[in-house]
Amino acid sequence: MLLVHDTRLMKPVPRSLPVGALLAGTIFLISGILVFDASARFAPPTLPYALAGWPRWLTAAAGSYLLIEGISGILIAALRPFGWEHEAVQRSPVLSRTLAEFWGLRWNRVIGRLLRKNCFEPLARRGAPMLGVLLAFAVSGLLHFYLVLPAAGLVPAIWMGSFFAMHGILCLVETRLAVRRWPAVAGHAFVVAAFVATIPLFSEPLLRCFMR
């Protein structure tokens, strides 16, 4: 989770201490910890899509978002005293108008770049971009399956892998629907609806990993 640096996204700069960026990252991090911890108190572990679990899952998703923003912000700001600047890992994911924009351009650009270069682009160059999208999400799903398996068990790991499989399919659906041509409000609504519809598959295994 802490591996957010990519030397290809770095450049040398004069050394400085970015107090503002470090403070902002710390605020995000602390807020994320508090929100994520609170999410486990709404309901005990339950099966995805059980009615009682929705406050638990939505709050856990919000806490996770804040945590990732805080961790990446702090680790990037920590490079400046050593004379390095790193491009933003997160580019305001909440502003995404499509799922492709969220996963490909705004969310965790280090991992997104890795998946794009090694999964999507080789197949896209061969005239199979849709297969490239599915492969990228399949690899991401397997990675998260691997992380969840020893901490929470096989079934939660399958839930987590299914979350990324579903988003791969939804990315193809939004391409068919030409969501990127929709008005901004409609595009945002589509992204929010896609996450709300699938978030139990992500939040429940994540909570079981960290909340015992």
Side-chain angles (χ1 to χ4, degrees), residues 17-33 65-78:
L17 182 61
V19 176
L22 288 170
L23 179 59
T26 302
I27 291 173
F28 272 105
L29 178 60
I30 293 173
S31 300
I33 292 172
Y65 183 96
L66 293 170
L67 276 168
I68 296 298
E69 289 278 356
I71 291 171
S72 62
I74 290 171
L75 292 180
I76 288 176

Side-chain angles (χ1 to χ4, degrees):
M1 289 183 66
L2 299 180
L3 189 61
V4 300
H5 297 143
D6 185 336
T7 54
R8 294 165 293 187
L9 299 176
M10 293 167 59
K11 64 180 180 180
V13 294
R15 295 183 181 184
S16 63
L17 182 61
V19 176
L22 288 170
L23 179 59
T26 302
I27 291 173
F28 272 105
L29 178 60
I30 293 173
S31 300
I33 292 172
L34 293 175
V35 173
F36 190 83
D37 180 69
S39 67
R41 306 178 191 280
F42 282 111
T46 185
L47 294 177
Y49 297 101
L51 185 61
W54 284 100
R56 165 184 171 90
W57 301 321
L58 294 173
T59 310
S64 301
Y65 183 96
L66 293 170
L67 276 168
I68 296 298
E69 289 278 356
I71 291 171
S72 62
I74 290 171
L75 292 180
I76 288 176
L79 293 174
R80 294 300 294 266
F82 298 96
W84 289 96
E85 181 180 72
H86 194 291
E87 291 185 24
V89 171
Q90 303 275 96
R91 287 184 170 174
S92 302
V94 293
L95 300 180
S96 301
R97 295 175 56 179
T98 66
L99 290 173
E101 181 183 351
F102 179 93
W103 292 114
L105 299 176
R106 294 185 179 273
W107 181 262
N108 197 337
R109 294 180 57 235
V110 172
I111 299 300
R113 189 175 190 275
L114 178 70
L115 292 173
R116 183 174 66 252
K117 292 290 184 181
N118 293 282
C119 299
F120 173 74
E121 290 183 356
L123 288 172
R125 286 195 294 267
R126 290 169 173 78
M130 299 300 184
L131 286 178
V133 170
L134 292 177
L135 178 61
F137 277 98
V139 171
S140 183
L142 287 173
L143 172 62
H144 287 80
F145 175 92
Y146 169 77
L147 294 172
V148 171
L149 180 61
L154 178 61
V155 173
I158 292 173
W159 294 339
M160 180 65 82
S162 299
F163 170 82
F164 289 93
M166 288 297 298
H167 274 257
I169 294 171
L170 286 169
C171 279
L172 301 186
V173 170
E174 77 172 9
T175 299
R176 293 288 187 182
L177 296 176
V179 173
R180 64 186 180 87
R181 298 179 184 173
W182 292 7
V185 173
H188 290 308
F190 179 87
V191 172
V192 170
F195 273 97
V196 170
T198 57
I199 207 62
L201 299 172
F202 177 88
S203 291
E204 185 60 36
L206 190 65
L207 281 163
R208 294 192 186 196
C209 286
F210 292 100
M211 300 296 183
R212 290 292 185 178

